[in-house]
Amino acid sequence: MFNSRVLETAIGLVSCYAAVSLLTSSVYEGIASTLRLRAKSLLSGVRALLNEKGKADAPGLTLALYNNALIHPCGNGQADTIKGLGPLPSYVDAARFAEALVEGLGVAADDFAKLGEAIDKIADPQLKQLLRGFYDRSGQSVAAFKQSVSSWFDAGMERVAGHYKRQSQLYCFVIALVIAGMFNIDTFHLMDTLWRTGDAVGTFTIQTQSVEAAQQLLNTARDQTLPMGWREMPGAQGTQVLLIQFLGWFVTATSVLFGAPFWFDLLQRFVQIRGAGGKPAEKSKEAK
């Protein structure tokens, strides 16, 4: 097709990686939605932010926040334990978090003096020192205090998002490894098959000058040696072959860490071959 075995083999590998990445992402999203991993990660991040992580499941500032409809609109607002909150939200807006925090301290929206008194009653010394610093630098403005709390929450959630991303990558790797093993998606065997099939078709086409015959040879080669899937029981060819297969699955699973968008973008760059160069709009976009 492209008169280049290297390019055609690369396109085949990238297409396979893109498909596996997409399938892995779909499976992970299903697991994450069922187990509500995002909501649990957010709750853990909020508890860590308020220095309540690891403490007993008892009423605290975290519970007061989640009982607020600004944070947890689906809750009844009367839960007395974290477990009693029911289905938790997966996302929280920073501005609403600041509003809920002020209300959780038992302060009216415009009562600056009472806000200072409520901060002084916080038991945790580190949290009290932090909020007291926001309070002293707010210029007697509750709105400025809330803005400082919003920025603090955003910074904390960036760390939570980073932790969740690392966790999801680990889960995706395990899922991809299972998929690669189930369907025998061995990178080494796949690359060897694509390379030999392209070589055979190219040679046959040159000798016969017949595209139909080359296509017939390609179908025959595909039937004889599948690039993926099982034709016999695992380990039937010996432990050494099984070990090489496992290494091939490992490489396939590692490719998932780049993400499906990366592989689809790379595939688009491979197949988007123009003799006249890119479109003006694309060149302008790349320049930006």
Side-chain angles (χ1 to χ4, degrees):
M1 179 179 177
F2 294 101
N3 295 325
S4 172
R5 277 188 296 162
V6 175
L7 183 59
E8 292 175 357
T9 301
I11 290 175
L13 286 174
V14 171
S15 301
C16 177
Y17 292 158
V20 173
S21 298
L22 186 60
L23 178 59
T24 300
S25 299
S26 300
V27 173
Y28 174 74
E29 285 300 321
I31 294 175
S33 298
T34 302
L35 301 180
R36 304 192 64 83
L37 296 180
R38 287 188 179 87
K40 293 178 180 178
S41 180
L42 176 62
L43 174 62
S44 177
V46 171
R47 298 192 72 174
L49 205 62
L50 300 176
N51 282 351
E52 293 184 347
K53 188 175 182 180
K55 296 183 179 180
D57 187 15
L61 193 53
T62 302
L63 185 61
L65 288 172
Y66 272 84
N67 271 327
N68 194 310
L70 291 170
I71 302 295
H72 189 17
C74 296
N76 57 15
Q78 298 177 355
D80 54 0
T81 62
I82 296 295
K83 294 181 180 179
L85 289 170
L88 301 175
S90 300
Y91 305 96
V92 172
D93 181 72
R96 293 189 175 186
F97 176 85
E99 292 278 355
L101 179 64
V102 172
E103 293 180 8
L105 294 173
V107 180
D110 56 351
D111 196 336
F112 188 78
K114 191 174 181 181
L115 176 61
E117 296 174 2
I119 292 175
D120 291 335
K121 294 179 181 178
I122 295 177
D124 185 80
Q126 186 181 37
L127 180 62
K128 179 169 67 175
Q129 181 183 10
L130 173 72
L131 296 181
R132 188 71 199 186
F134 292 159
Y135 180 83
D136 293 339
R137 293 189 296 270
S138 61
Q140 297 188 352
S141 171
V142 177
F145 175 82
K146 292 178 181 178
Q147 182 60 45
S148 298
V149 172
S150 297
S151 301
W152 168 59
F153 178 77
D154 281 334
M157 289 303 102
E158 286 181 4
R159 294 191 293 272
V160 173
H163 173 73
Y164 180 80
K165 182 178 181 181
R166 292 189 295 271
Q167 182 187 62
S168 63
Q169 285 183 329
L170 177 61
Y171 288 158
C172 285
F173 175 79
V174 174
I175 293 171
L177 189 60
V178 172
I179 291 174
M182 288 178 58
F183 298 100
N184 191 24
I185 309 176
D186 178 359
T187 290
F188 303 137
H189 175 61
L190 177 63
M191 182 170 58
D192 178 66
T193 302
L194 292 172
W195 184 270
R196 287 188 293 104
T197 302
D199 186 24
V201 172
T203 303
F204 194 84
T205 304
I206 292 174
Q207 292 177 352
T208 63
Q209 298 296 319
S210 172
V211 177
E212 292 78 7
Q215 184 63 43
Q216 183 179 0
L217 177 63
L218 176 62
N219 295 333
T220 302
R222 186 184 296 113
D223 293 337
Q224 292 177 350
T225 310
L226 291 175
M228 60 185 69
W230 292 100
R231 298 178 66 88
E232 55 188 359
M233 293 296 296
Q237 298 181 3
T239 306
Q240 185 176 2
V241 175
L242 183 61
L243 178 60
I244 296 175
Q245 285 180 328
F246 179 80
L247 292 176
W249 304 338
F250 185 86
V251 174
T252 302
T254 303
S255 69
V256 172
L257 300 180
F258 292 94
F262 171 82
W263 293 113
F264 279 110
D265 182 64
L266 185 60
L267 181 63
Q268 184 180 18
R269 292 180 181 274
F270 271 137
V271 301
Q272 194 175 18
I273 300 175
R274 293 189 180 94
K279 295 180 180 179
E282 293 177 350
K283 290 183 177 180
S284 176
K285 184 177 180 181
E286 291 178 358
K288 292 180 181 179

